[in-house]
Coordinates of all heavy atoms in Angstrom, one line a residue:
M119 N 99.1 89.9 77.7 CA 100.0 89.1 78.4 C 100.6 89.8 79.6 O 100.8 89.3 80.6 CB 101.1 88.6 77.4 CG 102.1 87.7 78.1 SD 101.4 86.1 78.5 CE 102.9 85.2 78.8
L120 N 100.9 91.1 79.4 CA 101.5 91.9 80.5 C 100.6 92.0 81.7 O 101.1 91.9 82.8 CB 101.9 93.3 80.0 CG 102.6 94.2 81.0 CD1 103.9 93.6 81.5 CD2 102.9 95.5 80.4
N121 N 99.3 92.2 81.4 CA 98.4 92.3 82.6 C 98.3 91.0 83.3 O 98.2 91.0 84.6 CB 97.0 92.7 82.1 CG 96.9 94.1 81.7 OD1 97.7 94.9 82.1 ND2 96.0 94.5 80.8
L122 N 98.4 89.8 82.6 CA 98.4 88.5 83.3 C 99.7 88.4 84.2 O 99.6 87.8 85.3 CB 98.3 87.4 82.3 CG 97.0 87.3 81.6 CD1 97.0 86.2 80.5 CD2 95.9 87.0 82.5
Q123 N 100.8 88.8 83.6 CA 102.1 88.7 84.4 C 102.0 89.6 85.6 O 102.5 89.2 86.7 CB 103.3 89.0 83.5 CG 103.5 88.0 82.5 CD 104.5 88.4 81.4 OE1 104.9 89.5 81.3 NE2 105.0 87.4 80.7
I124 N 101.5 90.8 85.5 CA 101.4 91.7 86.6 C 100.5 91.1 87.7 O 100.8 91.1 88.9 CB 100.8 93.1 86.2 CG1 101.9 93.8 85.3 CG2 100.4 94.0 87.4 CD1 101.4 95.1 84.6
E125 N 99.4 90.5 87.3 CA 98.5 89.9 88.2 C 99.1 88.7 88.9 O 99.0 88.5 90.1 CB 97.2 89.4 87.5 CG 96.2 88.8 88.5 CD 95.8 89.6 89.7 OE1 95.8 90.8 89.7 OE2 95.6 89.0 90.8
L126 N 100.0 88.0 88.2 CA 100.7 86.8 88.8 C 101.6 87.3 89.9 O 101.7 86.8 91.0 CB 101.5 86.1 87.7 CG 102.2 84.8 88.1 CD1 101.1 83.8 88.5 CD2 103.0 84.3 86.9
F127 N 102.3 88.4 89.6 CA 103.2 89.0 90.7 C 102.4 89.5 91.8 O 102.8 89.4 93.0 CB 104.2 90.0 90.1 CG 105.4 89.4 89.5 CD1 105.4 89.2 88.1 CD2 106.5 89.1 90.3 CE1 106.6 88.6 87.6 CE2 107.6 88.5 89.7 CZ 107.6 88.2 88.4
R128 N 101.3 90.1 91.6 CA 100.4 90.6 92.7 C 99.9 89.4 93.5 O 99.9 89.5 94.8 CB 99.2 91.3 92.1 CG 99.6 92.7 91.6 CD 98.5 93.5 91.2 NE 99.0 94.9 90.8 CZ 98.4 95.6 89.9 NH1 97.3 95.2 89.3 NH2 98.9 96.8 89.6
R129 N 99.6 88.3 92.9 CA 99.2 87.1 93.6 C 100.4 86.6 94.5 O 100.2 86.2 95.7 CB 98.8 85.9 92.7 CG 97.4 86.1 92.1 CD 97.1 84.9 91.2 NE 97.2 83.6 91.8 CZ 97.5 82.5 91.2 NH1 97.7 82.5 89.9 NH2 97.7 81.3 91.8
L130 N 101.6 86.6 94.0 CA 102.8 86.3 94.7 C 103.0 87.2 95.9 O 103.3 86.8 97.0 CB 104.0 86.3 93.8 CG 105.3 85.7 94.4 CD1 105.2 84.3 94.9 CD2 106.5 85.9 93.4
E131 N 102.8 88.5 95.7 CA 102.9 89.5 96.8 C 101.8 89.2 97.9 O 102.2 89.2 99.1 CB 102.6 90.9 96.3 CG 103.8 91.4 95.4 CD 103.4 92.8 94.8 OE1 102.2 93.1 94.7 OE2 104.3 93.5 94.4
R132 N 100.6 88.9 97.5 CA 99.6 88.6 98.5 C 99.9 87.3 99.2 O 99.7 87.2 100.4 CB 98.2 88.5 97.8 CG 97.7 89.8 97.3 CD 96.2 89.8 96.9 NE 96.0 88.9 95.7 CZ 96.0 89.3 94.5 NH1 96.3 90.5 94.2 NH2 95.8 88.4 93.5
W133 N 100.4 86.3 98.5 CA 100.8 85.0 99.2 C 101.8 85.3 100.2 O 101.8 84.9 101.4 CB 101.3 84.0 98.2 CG 101.7 82.8 98.9 CD1 100.9 81.7 99.4 CD2 103.0 82.5 99.4 NE1 101.7 80.8 100.1 CE2 103.0 81.3 100.1 CE3 104.2 83.1 99.3 CZ2 104.1 80.7 100.7 CZ3 105.4 82.6 99.9 CH2 105.3 81.4 100.5
Y134 N 102.9 86.1 99.8 CA 104.0 86.4 100.8 C 103.4 87.1 102.0 O 103.7 86.8 103.1 CB 105.0 87.2 100.1 CG 106.1 87.7 101.0 CD1 107.1 86.8 101.4 CD2 106.1 89.0 101.6 CE1 108.1 87.2 102.2 CE2 107.1 89.4 102.5 CZ 108.1 88.5 102.8 OH 109.0 88.9 103.7
E135 N 102.6 88.1 101.7 CA 102.0 88.9 102.9 C 101.2 88.0 103.8 O 101.3 88.1 105.0 CB 101.1 90.0 102.3 CG 100.5 90.9 103.4 CD 99.7 92.0 102.8 OE1 99.0 91.8 101.8 OE2 99.6 93.0 103.5
S136 N 100.5 87.0 103.3 CA 99.7 86.1 104.1 C 100.6 85.2 105.0 O 100.2 84.6 106.0 CB 98.8 85.2 103.2 OG 99.5 84.2 102.5
Q137 N 101.9 85.0 104.6 CA 102.8 84.2 105.4 C 103.4 84.9 106.5 O 103.9 84.4 107.5 CB 103.9 83.6 104.5 CG 103.4 82.8 103.3 CD 102.5 81.7 103.7 OE1 102.9 80.8 104.5 NE2 101.3 81.7 103.2
C138 N 103.5 86.3 106.4 CA 104.2 87.1 107.4 C 103.4 87.1 108.7 O 102.2 87.4 108.7 CB 104.3 88.5 106.8 SG 105.4 88.7 105.4
N139 N 104.1 86.6 109.7 CA 103.5 86.5 111.0 C 104.3 87.1 112.1 O 104.1 86.8 113.3 CB 103.1 85.0 111.3 CG 104.3 84.1 111.4 OD1 105.5 84.6 111.3 ND2 104.1 82.8 111.4
G140 N 105.3 87.8 111.8 CA 106.3 88.4 112.8 C 107.5 87.5 113.0 O 108.4 87.9 113.6
D141 N 107.5 86.3 112.4 CA 108.6 85.4 112.6 C 109.0 84.8 111.2 O 110.2 84.9 110.9 CB 108.2 84.2 113.5 CG 109.3 83.3 113.8 OD1 110.4 83.7 114.0 OD2 109.0 82.1 113.9
W142 N 108.1 84.3 110.5 CA 108.4 83.6 109.2 C 109.2 84.5 108.3 O 110.2 84.1 107.7 CB 107.1 83.2 108.5 CG 107.3 82.4 107.2 CD1 107.4 81.1 107.1 CD2 107.4 83.0 105.9 NE1 107.6 80.7 105.8 CE2 107.6 81.9 105.0 CE3 107.3 84.2 105.4 CZ2 107.7 82.1 103.6 CZ3 107.4 84.4 104.0 CH2 107.6 83.3 103.2
E143 N 108.8 85.7 108.1 CA 109.5 86.6 107.2 C 110.9 87.0 107.6 O 111.7 87.5 106.8 CB 108.6 87.9 106.9 CG 108.5 88.8 108.2 CD 107.3 88.4 109.1 OE1 106.8 87.3 109.0 OE2 107.0 89.3 109.9
H144 N 111.3 86.8 108.8 CA 112.6 87.1 109.3 C 113.6 85.9 109.0 O 114.8 86.1 108.9 CB 112.7 87.4 110.8 CG 111.9 88.7 111.1 ND1 112.4 89.9 110.8 CD2 110.7 88.8 111.6 CE1 111.5 90.8 111.1 NE2 110.5 90.2 111.6
R145 N 113.0 84.7 108.8 CA 113.8 83.5 108.5 C 113.7 83.1 107.1 O 114.6 82.3 106.6 CB 113.5 82.4 109.5 CG 113.8 82.7 110.9 CD 113.4 81.5 111.8 NE 111.9 81.4 111.8 CZ 111.3 80.2 111.6 NH1 112.0 79.1 111.4 NH2 110.0 80.1 111.6
H146 N 112.6 83.4 106.4 CA 112.3 82.9 105.1 C 111.9 84.0 104.2 O 111.6 85.1 104.6 CB 111.2 81.8 105.2 CG 111.5 80.8 106.2 ND1 112.5 79.9 106.1 CD2 110.8 80.5 107.4 CE1 112.5 79.1 107.2 NE2 111.5 79.5 108.0
G147 N 111.7 83.7 102.9 CA 111.3 84.7 102.0 C 111.3 84.1 100.6 O 111.3 82.9 100.4
I148 N 111.2 85.0 99.6 CA 111.2 84.6 98.2 C 112.4 85.2 97.6 O 112.8 86.3 97.8 CB 110.0 85.3 97.5 CG1 108.7 84.8 98.1 CG2 110.0 85.0 96.0 CD1 107.4 85.6 97.6
T149 N 113.1 84.3 96.8 CA 114.3 84.7 96.1 C 114.1 84.4 94.6 O 113.8 83.3 94.3 CB 115.5 83.9 96.6 OG1 115.7 84.2 98.0 CG2 116.8 84.4 95.9
I150 N 114.3 85.4 93.8 CA 114.4 85.2 92.3 C 115.7 85.7 91.9 O 116.1 86.8 92.2 CB 113.2 86.0 91.6 CG1 111.9 85.5 92.1 CG2 113.4 85.8 90.1 CD1 110.7 86.3 91.6
E151 N 116.5 84.8 91.2 CA 117.8 85.2 90.9 C 118.2 84.5 89.6 O 117.6 83.5 89.1 CB 118.8 84.7 92.0 CG 118.8 83.2 92.2 CD 119.7 82.8 93.4 OE1 120.4 83.7 93.9 OE2 119.5 81.7 93.8
T152 N 119.3 85.0 89.0 CA 119.9 84.3 87.8 C 120.9 83.3 88.4 O 121.7 83.6 89.3 CB 120.7 85.4 87.0 OG1 119.8 86.4 86.6 CG2 121.4 84.7 85.8
V153 N 120.7 82.0 87.9 CA 121.6 81.0 88.5 C 122.7 80.6 87.6 O 123.7 80.0 88.1 CB 120.7 79.7 88.8 CG1 119.8 80.0 90.0 CG2 120.0 79.2 87.6
D154 N 122.7 80.9 86.3 CA 123.9 80.7 85.5 C 123.7 81.4 84.2 O 122.6 82.0 83.9 CB 124.1 79.2 85.2 CG 122.9 78.5 84.6 OD1 122.1 79.1 83.9 OD2 122.9 77.3 84.7
N155 N 124.7 81.5 83.4 CA 124.7 82.1 82.1 C 125.4 81.3 81.1 O 126.6 81.3 81.1 CB 125.3 83.5 82.2 CG 125.1 84.3 80.9 OD1 124.8 83.8 79.9 ND2 125.2 85.6 81.0
M156 N 124.7 80.5 80.4 CA 125.3 79.5 79.4 C 125.1 80.0 78.0 O 124.0 80.1 77.5 CB 124.7 78.2 79.6 CG 124.8 77.6 81.0 SD 123.7 76.2 81.3 CE 124.0 75.2 79.9
G157 N 126.2 80.4 77.4 CA 126.1 80.9 76.0 C 125.2 82.1 75.8 O 124.5 82.2 74.8
G158 N 125.1 82.9 76.8 CA 124.3 84.1 76.7 C 122.8 84.0 77.1 O 122.1 84.9 77.2
T159 N 122.4 82.7 77.4 CA 121.1 82.5 77.9 C 121.2 82.2 79.4 O 121.8 81.3 79.8 CB 120.4 81.3 77.2 OG1 120.4 81.5 75.8 CG2 119.0 81.1 77.7
S160 N 120.5 83.0 80.2 CA 120.6 82.8 81.7 C 119.3 82.1 82.1 O 118.3 82.2 81.5 CB 120.7 84.2 82.4 OG 119.6 85.0 82.0
K161 N 119.4 81.4 83.2 CA 118.4 80.6 83.8 C 117.9 81.4 85.0 O 118.7 82.0 85.7 CB 118.9 79.2 84.2 CG 117.8 78.2 84.3 CD 118.4 76.9 84.7 CE 119.1 76.3 83.5 NZ 119.7 74.9 83.8
R162 N 116.6 81.4 85.3 CA 116.1 82.1 86.5 C 115.7 81.0 87.5 O 115.3 79.9 87.2 CB 114.9 82.9 86.2 CG 115.1 84.0 85.2 CD 116.0 85.1 85.8 NE 116.2 86.2 84.9 CZ 117.3 86.3 84.2 NH1 118.3 85.5 84.2 NH2 117.5 87.4 83.4
S163 N 115.8 81.3 88.8 CA 115.4 80.4 89.8 C 114.5 81.2 90.8 O 114.8 82.3 91.2 CB 116.7 80.0 90.6 OG 116.4 79.2 91.7
L164 N 113.5 80.5 91.3 CA 112.6 80.9 92.3 C 112.8 80.0 93.5 O 112.7 78.8 93.3 CB 111.2 80.9 91.8 CG 110.1 81.2 92.9 CD1 110.1 82.6 93.3 CD2 108.7 80.8 92.4
R165 N 113.0 80.5 94.7 CA 113.2 79.7 95.9 C 112.3 80.3 97.0 O 112.3 81.5 97.2 CB 114.6 79.7 96.4 CG 115.6 79.1 95.5 CD 117.0 79.1 96.1 NE 117.9 78.3 95.3 CZ 118.1 77.0 95.4 NH1 117.5 76.4 96.3 NH2 119.0 76.4 94.6
V166 N 111.5 79.4 97.6 CA 110.6 79.8 98.7 C 110.6 78.7 99.7 O 110.4 77.5 99.4 CB 109.2 80.0 98.2 CG1 108.3 80.5 99.3 CG2 109.1 80.9 97.0
H167 N 110.8 79.1 101.0 CA 110.8 78.1 102.1 C 109.3 77.8 102.3 O 108.5 78.7 102.5 CB 111.4 78.7 103.3 CG 111.5 77.6 104.4 ND1 110.5 77.3 105.2 CD2 112.5 76.8 104.7 CE1 110.9 76.4 106.1 NE2 112.1 76.0 105.8
M168 N 109.0 76.5 102.4 CA 107.6 76.1 102.6 C 107.6 75.0 103.6 O 108.6 74.4 104.1 CB 107.1 75.5 101.3 CG 106.9 76.5 100.2 SD 105.6 77.7 100.7 CE 104.2 76.7 100.8
C169 N 106.4 74.6 104.0 CA 106.2 73.5 104.9 C 106.6 72.2 104.1 O 106.8 72.2 102.9 CB 104.8 73.4 105.4 SG 103.6 73.2 104.1
D170 N 106.7 71.1 104.9 CA 107.0 69.8 104.3 C 105.8 69.2 103.7 O 105.1 68.3 104.3 CB 107.6 68.9 105.3 CG 108.3 67.7 104.7 OD1 108.5 67.7 103.5 OD2 108.6 66.7 105.5
R171 N 105.4 69.6 102.5 CA 104.2 69.1 101.8 C 104.6 68.5 100.5 O 105.6 68.9 99.9 CB 103.3 70.3 101.4 CG 102.2 70.5 102.4 CD 101.1 71.4 101.9 NE 101.6 72.6 101.1 CZ 100.8 73.4 100.5 NH1 99.5 73.2 100.5 NH2 101.3 74.4 99.9
A172 N 103.9 67.5 100.1 CA 104.2 66.8 98.9 C 104.1 67.7 97.7 O 103.2 68.5 97.6 CB 103.2 65.6 98.7
F173 N 105.0 67.5 96.8 CA 105.0 68.2 95.5 C 105.5 67.2 94.5 O 106.6 66.7 94.6 CB 105.8 69.5 95.5 CG 105.8 70.2 94.2 CD1 104.8 71.1 93.9 CD2 106.8 70.0 93.3 CE1 104.8 71.8 92.7 CE2 106.9 70.7 92.1 CZ 105.8 71.6 91.8
E174 N 104.8 67.0 93.4 CA 105.3 66.1 92.3 C 106.2 66.9 91.4 O 105.8 67.9 90.8 CB 104.1 65.5 91.5 CG 104.6 64.5 90.6 CD 103.4 63.7 90.0 OE1 102.4 63.6 90.6 OE2 103.6 63.2 88.8
E175 N 107.5 66.5 91.3 CA 108.5 67.2 90.6 C 108.1 67.3 89.1 O 107.5 66.4 88.5 CB 109.8 66.5 90.7 CG 111.0 67.2 89.9 CD 112.3 66.5 90.1 OE1 112.8 66.4 91.3 OE2 112.8 66.0 89.1
I176 N 108.4 68.5 88.5 CA 108.2 68.7 87.1 C 109.6 69.0 86.5 O 110.3 69.9 87.0 CB 107.3 69.9 86.8 CG1 105.9 69.7 87.5 CG2 107.2 70.2 85.3 CD1 105.1 71.0 87.5
H177 N 110.0 68.2 85.5 CA 111.3 68.3 85.0 C 111.2 68.1 83.4 O 110.8 67.1 83.0 CB 112.3 67.3 85.6 CG 113.7 67.6 85.2 ND1 114.6 66.6 85.1 CD2 114.3 68.7 84.8 CE1 115.8 67.0 84.8 NE2 115.6 68.3 84.6
E178 N 111.6 69.2 82.7 CA 111.7 69.1 81.3 C 113.1 69.4 80.8 O 113.6 70.5 81.1 CB 110.7 70.1 80.6 CG 109.3 69.9 81.0 CD 108.4 71.1 80.5 OE1 108.9 71.9 79.6 OE2 107.3 71.2 80.9
N179 N 113.7 68.5 80.1 CA 115.0 68.8 79.6 C 115.2 67.9 78.4 O 115.5 66.7 78.5 CB 116.1 68.5 80.7 CG 117.5 68.8 80.2 OD1 117.7 69.0 79.0 ND2 118.5 68.8 81.1
Q180 N 115.1 68.4 77.2 CA 115.2 67.6 76.0 C 116.7 67.7 75.5 O 116.9 68.0 74.4 CB 114.2 68.1 74.9 CG 112.8 67.9 75.2 CD 112.1 69.0 76.0 OE1 112.5 70.1 76.0 NE2 111.1 68.6 76.7
G181 N 117.6 67.4 76.4 CA 119.0 67.4 76.0 C 119.6 68.8 75.9 O 120.7 69.0 75.3
D182 N 118.9 69.8 76.4 CA 119.4 71.2 76.2 C 119.3 71.9 77.6 O 118.2 72.4 78.0 CB 118.6 71.9 75.2 CG 119.0 73.4 74.9 OD1 120.0 73.8 75.6 OD2 118.3 74.1 74.1
D183 N 120.4 71.9 78.3 CA 120.4 72.5 79.6 C 120.0 74.0 79.7 O 119.4 74.5 80.7 CB 121.8 72.4 80.3 CG 122.1 71.0 80.7 OD1 121.2 70.2 80.8 OD2 123.3 70.7 80.9
R184 N 120.2 74.7 78.6 CA 119.7 76.1 78.5 C 118.2 76.3 78.6 O 117.7 77.3 79.1 CB 120.3 76.8 77.3 CG 121.8 77.0 77.3 CD 122.2 77.7 76.0 NE 121.7 76.9 74.9 CZ 121.9 77.2 73.6 NH1 122.6 78.2 73.3 NH2 121.4 76.4 72.7
N185 N 117.5 75.3 78.2 CA 116.0 75.3 78.2 C 115.4 74.4 79.3 O 114.2 74.2 79.3 CB 115.5 75.0 76.9 CG 115.8 76.1 75.8 OD1 115.6 77.2 76.1 ND2 116.3 75.7 74.7
E186 N 116.3 74.0 80.2 CA 115.8 73.1 81.3 C 114.7 73.8 82.1 O 114.9 75.0 82.5 CB 116.9 72.6 82.2 CG 116.4 71.7 83.3 CD 117.6 71.2 84.2 OE1 118.6 72.0 84.3 OE2 117.5 70.1 84.7
F187 N 113.7 73.1 82.5 CA 112.6 73.6 83.3 C 112.4 72.6 84.4 O 112.2 71.4 84.2 CB 111.3 73.7 82.4 CG 110.1 74.3 83.2 CD1 109.9 75.7 83.1 CD2 109.3 73.6 83.9 CE1 108.9 76.3 83.7 CE2 108.2 74.1 84.6 CZ 108.0 75.5 84.5
L188 N 112.5 73.1 85.6 CA 112.4 72.2 86.8 C 111.7 72.9 87.9 O 111.9 74.1 88.3 CB 113.9 71.9 87.3 CG 114.0 71.2 88.6 CD1 113.4 69.7 88.5 CD2 115.5 71.1 89.0
C189 N 110.7 72.2 88.5 CA 110.1 72.6 89.7 C 110.1 71.5 90.7 O 109.7 70.3 90.3 CB 108.6 73.1 89.5 SG 108.5 74.5 88.5
R190 N 110.5 71.7 91.9 CA 110.6 70.6 92.9 C 110.6 71.2 94.3 O 110.9 72.4 94.5 CB 111.7 69.7 92.7 CG 113.1 70.3 93.0 CD 114.2 69.3 92.8 NE 115.5 70.0 93.0 CZ 116.6 69.4 93.0 NH1 116.7 68.1 92.8 NH2 117.7 70.1 93.2
V191 N 110.4 70.4 95.3 CA 110.5 70.8 96.7 C 111.6 69.9 97.3 O 111.6 68.6 97.2 CB 109.2 70.6 97.5 CG1 109.5 70.8 99.0 CG2 108.2 71.6 97.0
K192 N 112.6 70.5 97.9 CA 113.7 69.7 98.5 C 114.1 70.4 99.8 O 114.3 71.7 99.8 CB 114.9 69.7 97.6 CG 116.1 68.9 98.1 CD 117.2 68.8 97.1 CE 118.3 68.0 97.8 NZ 119.5 67.9 96.9
D193 N 114.1 69.7 100.9 CA 114.5 70.2 102.2 C 113.6 71.4 102.5 O 114.0 72.4 103.0 CB 115.9 70.7 102.3 CG 116.9 69.5 102.0 OD1 116.6 68.4 102.4 OD2 118.0 69.7 101.4
Q194 N 112.3 71.2 102.3 CA 111.2 72.2 102.6 C 111.4 73.5 101.8 O 110.9 74.5 102.2 CB 111.1 72.5 104.1 CG 110.8 71.2 104.9 CD 110.7 71.6 106.4 OE1 111.3 72.5 106.9 NE2 109.9 70.8 107.1
V195 N 112.1 73.5 100.7 CA 112.2 74.7 99.9 C 111.7 74.4 98.5 O 112.2 73.4 97.8 CB 113.7 75.1 99.8 CG1 113.9 76.3 98.9 CG2 114.2 75.5 101.2
F196 N 110.8 75.2 98.0 CA 110.3 75.1 96.6 C 111.4 75.7 95.7 O 111.8 76.8 96.0 CB 109.0 75.8 96.4 CG 108.5 75.8 94.9 CD1 107.7 74.8 94.5 CD2 109.0 76.8 94.1 CE1 107.3 74.8 93.1 CE2 108.6 76.8 92.7 CZ 107.7 75.8 92.3
V197 N 111.8 75.0 94.7 CA 112.8 75.5 93.8 C 112.3 75.3 92.4 O 111.9 74.2 92.0 CB 114.2 74.7 93.9 CG1 115.2 75.2 92.9 CG2 114.7 74.8 95.3
G198 N 112.3 76.4 91.7 CA 111.9 76.4 90.3 C 113.0 77.0 89.4 O 113.5 78.1 89.8
Q199 N 113.4 76.3 88.4 CA 114.4 76.9 87.5 C 113.9 76.8 86.1 O 113.2 75.8 85.7 CB 115.7 76.1 87.6 CG 116.4 76.2 88.9 CD 117.7 75.4 89.0 OE1 117.9 74.5 88.2 NE2 118.5 75.8 89.9
S200 N 114.1 77.9 85.3 CA 113.6 78.0 84.0 C 114.4 79.0 83.1 O 115.1 79.8 83.7 CB 112.1 78.4 84.0 OG 112.0 79.8 84.4
P201 N 114.2 78.9 81.8 CA 114.7 80.0 81.0 C 114.0 81.3 81.4 O 112.9 81.2 81.9 CB 114.4 79.5 79.6 CG 114.1 78.1 79.6 CD 113.6 77.8 81.0
P202 N 114.6 82.4 81.1 CA 113.9 83.7 81.5 C 112.5 83.8 81.0 O 111.6 84.4 81.7 CB 114.8 84.7 80.8 CG 116.1 84.1 80.7 CD 115.9 82.6 80.4
N203 N 112.2 83.3 79.8 CA 110.8 83.5 79.2 C 109.8 82.6 79.8 O 108.6 82.6 79.5 CB 110.9 83.4 77.7 CG 111.2 81.9 77.3 OD1 111.9 81.2 78.0 ND2 110.9 81.6 76.1
R204 N 110.2 81.7 80.8 CA 109.2 80.8 81.4 C 109.1 81.0 83.0 O 108.5 80.3 83.6 CB 109.6 79.4 81.1 CG 109.4 79.1 79.6 CD 109.7 77.6 79.3 NE 108.6 76.8 79.9 CZ 108.6 75.5 79.8 NH1 109.7 74.8 79.3 NH2 107.6 74.8 80.4
L205 N 109.7 82.1 83.5 CA 109.7 82.4 84.9 C 108.2 82.5 85.4 O 107.9 82.0 86.4 CB 110.4 83.7 85.2 CG 110.4 84.1 86.7 CD1 111.0 83.0 87.6 CD2 111.1 85.4 86.9
H206 N 107.3 83.1 84.6 CA 105.9 83.2 84.9 C 105.3 81.9 85.1 O 104.4 81.7 86.0 CB 105.2 84.1 83.9 CG 105.0 83.4 82.6 ND1 106.1 83.4 81.7 CD2 104.0 82.7 82.0 CE1 105.6 82.7 80.6 NE2 104.4 82.3 80.8
E207 N 105.7 80.8 84.4 CA 105.2 79.5 84.6 C 105.6 78.9 85.9 O 104.8 78.3 86.6 CB 105.7 78.6 83.5 CG 105.1 78.9 82.1 CD 105.6 77.9 81.0 OE1 105.4 76.7 81.2 OE2 106.2 78.4 80.1
V208 N 106.9 79.2 86.3 CA 107.4 78.7 87.6 C 106.5 79.3 88.7 O 106.1 78.6 89.6 CB 108.9 79.0 87.8 CG1 109.3 78.7 89.2 CG2 109.7 78.2 86.8
I209 N 106.3 80.6 88.6 CA 105.6 81.3 89.7 C 104.1 80.8 89.7 O 103.6 80.6 90.8 CB 105.6 82.8 89.5 CG1 107.1 83.3 89.6 CG2 104.7 83.5 90.4 CD1 107.3 84.8 89.2
S210 N 103.6 80.6 88.6 CA 102.2 80.1 88.5 C 102.1 78.7 89.1 O 101.2 78.4 89.9 CB 101.7 80.0 87.1 OG 100.4 79.6 87.0
I211 N 103.0 77.8 88.8 CA 103.1 76.4 89.4 C 103.2 76.5 90.9 O 102.5 75.9 91.7 CB 104.2 75.6 88.8 CG1 103.8 75.3 87.3 CG2 104.4 74.3 89.6 CD1 104.9 74.7 86.5
F212 N 104.2 77.4 91.4 CA 104.3 77.6 92.8 C 103.1 78.0 93.5 O 102.6 77.4 94.5 CB 105.5 78.6 93.1 CG 105.5 79.0 94.5 CD1 105.9 78.1 95.5 CD2 105.0 80.2 94.9 CE1 105.9 78.5 96.9 CE2 104.9 80.6 96.3 CZ 105.4 79.7 97.2
L213 N 102.4 79.1 93.0 CA 101.2 79.6 93.6 C 100.1 78.6 93.6 O 99.4 78.4 94.6 CB 100.8 80.9 92.9 CG 101.7 82.1 93.2 CD1 101.3 83.2 92.3 CD2 101.6 82.5 94.7
G214 N 99.9 77.8 92.5 CA 98.9 76.8 92.4 C 99.1 75.8 93.5 O 98.1 75.3 94.2
W215 N 100.3 75.4 93.8 CA 100.7 74.4 94.8 C 100.6 75.1 96.2 O 99.9 74.5 97.1 CB 102.0 73.9 94.6 CG 102.6 73.0 95.7 CD1 102.2 71.7 96.0 CD2 103.6 73.3 96.6 NE1 102.9 71.3 97.1 CE2 103.7 72.2 97.5 CE3 104.4 74.5 96.8 CZ2 104.7 72.2 98.5 CZ3 105.3 74.5 97.8 CH2 105.4 73.3 98.7
A216 N 101.1 76.2 96.4 CA 101.2 76.9 97.7 C 99.8 77.3 98.2 O 99.6 77.3 99.5 CB 102.1 78.1 97.7
Q217 N 98.9 77.7 97.3 CA 97.6 78.2 97.8 C 96.6 77.1 98.0 O 95.6 77.3 98.5 CB 97.1 79.2 96.8 CG 98.0 80.5 96.8 CD 97.6 81.5 95.8 OE1 97.1 81.2 94.7 NE2 97.8 82.8 96.2
R218 N 97.0 75.8 97.6 CA 96.2 74.7 97.9 C 96.5 74.3 99.4 O 97.5 73.8 99.6 CB 96.4 73.5 97.0 CG 95.7 73.5 95.7 CD 95.9 72.3 95.0 NE 96.7 72.7 93.8 CZ 97.8 72.1 93.4 NH1 98.2 71.0 94.0 NH2 98.4 72.5 92.3
A219 N 95.6 74.5 100.2 CA 95.9 74.2 101.7 C 94.9 73.1 102.2 O 93.8 73.0 101.8 CB 95.7 75.4 102.5

């Protein structure tokens, strides 16, 4: 599993590098952060500025905000939120969408 996660981050690095054109990287980038801490469980968020392309929102919330899983594009920004143990899924969904051109 660790090797798969390392490869996922390498794919993210390569995608980022492919976006760098002397301008984009000065205005945009990738942000991974903790967005809240509810009862000791923190949620992670991935934000990436993208073009205005269609993305079908993915939202899982079975009445438990601590385990909410969300991927969407709003105002040309991909936003993914997940429990810490699902961040790799958010990155994988992002890359699958971003690399389809």
